[in-house]
Amino acid sequence: MTYAPVPAASAPSTLRLTALHAKYTLIETFRVPIAVIGTVVFPALALLFFVVPQRSVADVALYATQAVISLSVFAVMANSLFSFGLTISESREKPWDPYLRTLPAPGIARVFGQILSTGALGLVAVLPVVVLGGLLTAAEAPPLRIGAGILALAVAAIPFMLIGTAIGYALPFKAAIAVIQIVMFALAFVGGLFLPPVLFADWLNDLSKFTPSRQAREFVIWAVEGGTLEWWVWAGIATWTVVMLVASLALYRRDEGRRYR
């Protein structure tokens, strides 16, 4: 009696593994609804409390549009810092993460999966700000410019993702929570996300230009409203990306050397 050979099951592609990782990361996140609610509600509340009542800002299209953009950048920044920083630091303290590393799946699938899930949550966090800004203020922009602004937000989010990654690999979970909150509010205030930089003192305005939050704000404003893009904006985003990528890789290798030597 002869048996027909059974074809070997083909290994799933990296693209499929990335989609699966992003899917289960989102499911895990939505199992804790308060985490999603906080990400979505806080930027919208900031718009309602700090922008909408200020009619001298809300009724002027230029100022209102820039205020909506600033809070959209804040929403993406907060989501990136918390998603990467807390997820990584928490995973390092659980036995599930070492088990995942033993599976025959490339690490890049997990990285891209995390980026996709964080990007999806960031988009969810921006929507209430844009909708409320369009309904309750004089903010305005053509549809193509809004699309360009979303792309600019995606690019500007990269340094924040890498900062969150570095914090996640550098600190334990409880310390990471405190540090991320300090970093988030410091970058928001100094970067002009809560107060327009035109109100800053000269020294604070100069300092602000070195922060990734100010660079992200100016980058998205340029994408939505047009005009001239200052050199320090794109140079700053590129520099923060390279520096934090190197720091994240160094901290990843240090963590791997400690736990898997």
Side-chain angles (χ1 to χ4, degrees):
M1 183 175 180
T2 59
Y3 296 93
V6 178
S10 59
S13 65
T14 301
L15 182 62
R16 183 165 181 267
L17 291 172
T18 299
L20 282 174
H21 190 78
K23 172 186 173 183
Y24 284 102
T25 301
L26 286 173
I27 291 175
E28 186 177 3
T29 302
F30 279 96
R31 283 177 177 168
V32 186
I34 190 63
V36 181
I37 293 173
T39 300
V40 173
V41 170
F42 189 72
L45 287 179
L47 179 75
L48 289 175
F49 290 151
F50 297 121
V51 177
V52 174
Q54 306 294 329
R55 300 317 303 179
S56 60
V57 174
D59 290 338
V60 180
L62 177 64
Y63 298 156
T65 304
Q66 292 188 358
V68 170
I69 290 172
S70 296
L71 289 174
S72 297
V73 171
F74 174 74
V76 169
M77 178 183 72
N79 180 61
S80 300
L81 290 174
F82 277 102
S83 292
F84 277 80
L86 296 190
T87 299
I88 292 173
S89 61
E90 185 181 25
S91 297
R92 291 170 54 229
E93 298 178 358
K94 291 181 176 179
W96 181 248
D97 186 65
Y99 170 71
L100 285 181
R101 295 197 185 198
T102 65
L103 298 179
I108 196 69
R110 295 180 59 194
V111 174
F112 283 155
Q114 183 69 38
I115 291 174
L116 284 178
S117 61
T118 301
L121 285 176
L123 186 61
V124 171
V126 166
L127 283 178
V129 176
V130 174
V131 171
L132 290 175
L135 294 176
L136 304 178
T137 73
E140 60 181 10
L144 287 178
R145 286 291 185 180
I146 294 177
I150 292 175
L151 290 177
L153 271 176
V155 174
I158 294 174
F160 303 125
M161 292 180 182
L162 292 171
I163 291 173
T165 301
I167 294 174
Y169 281 117
L171 299 172
F173 182 68
K174 291 182 179 179
I177 294 176
V179 170
I180 287 174
Q181 289 177 336
I182 294 171
V183 170
M184 179 184 70
F185 283 109
L187 289 178
F189 279 107
V190 180
L193 303 186
F194 290 158
L195 288 175
V198 69
L199 299 178
F200 287 174
D202 290 341
W203 66 269
L204 184 56
N205 186 48
D206 293 338
L207 176 65
S208 175
K209 293 178 181 177
F210 290 95
T211 62
S213 48
R214 174 69 182 278
Q215 294 153 3
R217 176 186 183 276
E218 302 300 332
F219 187 58
V220 180
I221 287 176
W222 168 77
V224 174
E225 296 185 342
T228 303
L229 182 65
E230 298 288 344
W231 68 269
W232 54 267
V233 175
W234 57 265
I237 292 174
T239 302
W240 274 101
T241 299
V242 172
V243 170
M244 294 314 304
L245 178 61
V246 172
S248 298
L249 289 175
L251 290 166
Y252 173 82
R253 289 184 178 179
R254 188 190 71 166
D255 175 70
E256 194 171 47
R258 284 180 175 177
R259 295 197 295 153
Y260 302 97
R261 67 177 58 175

